[in-house]
Amino acid sequence: LPPLEGKKIACNTDADCVPDPTQCHPHTCMTTTEAEGKTKPEMCTMMFDTQAAYSAADCTCDLGICKNKNIPESLTEPDTTLPQ
C-alpha cells in the first residue's frame, strides 16, 4: 500500500481496513498494515457503543483513508458552511 500523509498508510479496498485494535470500542479504523503488532486491551467493559467499529465490516476505504461506517460523515468532517 502506498504511504499517505507521512506515517499514514493508504488503503485500496475495504478489505485493507480494520478497527483500531488498541481500543475496546474503537471509533477509528486503520489499515491492516498499521494494525500489525498492536495489542488489544486486557479488559474492556461490556457496554455496546453504536458508533464503535467492532469488526472489519464496520470499516470502509474512502479515497485511500480507512473510515468507520458507524459514524455519520457529518460528525467526522468539519463544517465548511458559511453563516447566513
Side-chain angles (χ1 to χ4, degrees), residues 13-60:
T13 68
D14 289 352
D16 296 333
C17 300
V18 294
D20 181 348
T22 65
Q23 300 175 17
C24 291
H25 310 284
H27 280 208
T28 56
C29 294
M30 61 180 54
T31 65
T32 53
T33 303
E34 290 175 296
E36 285 177 10
K38 296 190 180 204
T39 58
K40 294 182 179 187
E42 286 187 34
M43 290 194 324
C44 294
T45 62
M46 293 299 292
M47 67 166 265
F48 180 78
D49 183 344
T50 58
Q51 293 186 335
Y54 290 111
S55 73
D58 295 324
C59 299
T60 188

